[in-house]
Amino acid sequence: MATSRAARTAGAGTVLGYLESKKNLAGCACGVAGLGLSIAGVAGTYWPAVVAGLYGAGALIAPPDVAEKPEPPDLREELGVLREDFARLREYLDAVELPPAAGGELGELLELYGALLHPGWVAEVLAGDAESVHVLSRAIRRDLPDCVDAYNRARWWNRLTPGTESPERHLERQLSVLFDEAERLTAALRDADARRQQTQTTYLEDRGRS
């Protein structure tokens, strides 16, 4: 039943879309012209075929409707939402008991994330690179919480079956990978900003020479 209703709704939307299309409007205009010829007696008894033929010709030669290009997402708004998620993540991590070594690495990682997200010119540079925003979002919303959650579960299992590889060691390696990723992201943003500075310098020098 739901599928049938959805199909009917989609069909109605398709029909309505065609009625509003340039092809239908052009066909109607030509059809009206054909109707005028019929009233004038030009088409004779074949006026229905003339009207239909002119409608079809108008619809055929009319340019197709072009869908509007979607607006790109506002990455500044995305960063605002990401800051809120980052604040919630920090609250969660404050309540988790972590080994000293992992805790130190986690602190450095969170400090780096916080510096990138802090409102200001750094965040403006970040907002200019959609891929960097995606990487940071993935790390904050998925990777880091998953690492800590996996550590908590593995530590519980390790109490029942001691002798397996240390959950603490796994967590330290995971945090190290995330920190390296964050450093690469920061370096890429720094280089992008340096290129913009060089572009501005070149522009001013060229303007001065001209």
Side-chain angles (χ1 to χ4, degrees):
M1 294 291 291
T3 302
S4 299
R5 285 195 296 270
R8 287 196 297 270
T9 301
T14 302
V15 172
L16 182 60
Y18 177 75
L19 291 177
E20 297 175 346
S21 69
K22 293 179 181 178
K23 286 186 171 296
N24 181 56
L25 295 177
C28 288
C30 291
V32 169
L35 188 59
L37 293 175
S38 301
I39 295 175
V42 175
T45 58
Y46 298 102
W47 69 267
V50 171
V51 172
L54 287 174
Y55 173 88
L60 183 63
I61 64 176
D65 292 328
V66 178
E68 292 185 7
K69 182 179 179 181
E71 291 293 329
D74 189 339
L75 294 180
R76 291 180 179 84
E77 291 185 4
E78 169 65 15
L79 287 181
V81 177
L82 186 56
R83 288 187 191 100
E84 297 175 359
D85 292 341
F86 180 59
R88 285 190 289 269
L89 175 62
R90 299 200 72 153
E91 292 177 359
Y92 162 69
L93 295 174
D94 287 341
V96 175
E97 182 183 351
L98 297 175
E105 184 117 31
L106 178 62
E108 294 179 2
L109 179 60
L110 294 177
E111 183 178 355
L112 187 50
Y113 287 163
L116 291 171
L117 286 172
H118 185 74
W121 67 269
V122 175
E124 288 296 316
V125 175
L126 176 61
D129 188 341
E131 179 60 27
S132 294
V133 173
H134 169 71
V135 170
L136 188 58
S137 173
R138 179 184 61 196
I140 290 174
R141 290 172 172 156
R142 188 181 68 190
D143 295 338
L144 184 53
D146 284 354
C147 290
V148 175
D149 185 56
Y151 162 74
N152 282 327
R153 295 198 309 271
R155 185 175 59 170
W156 186 87
W157 285 110
N158 204 48
R159 294 194 187 102
L160 300 180
T161 56
T164 58
E165 188 170 1
S166 166
E168 290 79 4
R169 178 56 183 154
H170 273 294
L171 179 61
E172 290 170 18
R173 288 163 56 189
Q174 292 164 357
L175 293 176
S176 179
V177 171
L178 289 177
F179 188 80
D180 289 345
E181 179 186 65
E183 283 194 319
R184 290 194 301 271
L185 186 153
T186 305
L189 294 176
R190 179 197 61 206
D191 293 344
D193 202 35
R195 287 193 297 271
R196 277 190 286 269
Q197 184 184 36
Q198 180 60 49
T199 299
Q200 179 69 7
T201 300
T202 303
Y203 161 71
L204 292 175
E205 290 176 344
D206 291 345
R207 192 177 71 180
R209 284 192 292 269
S210 63

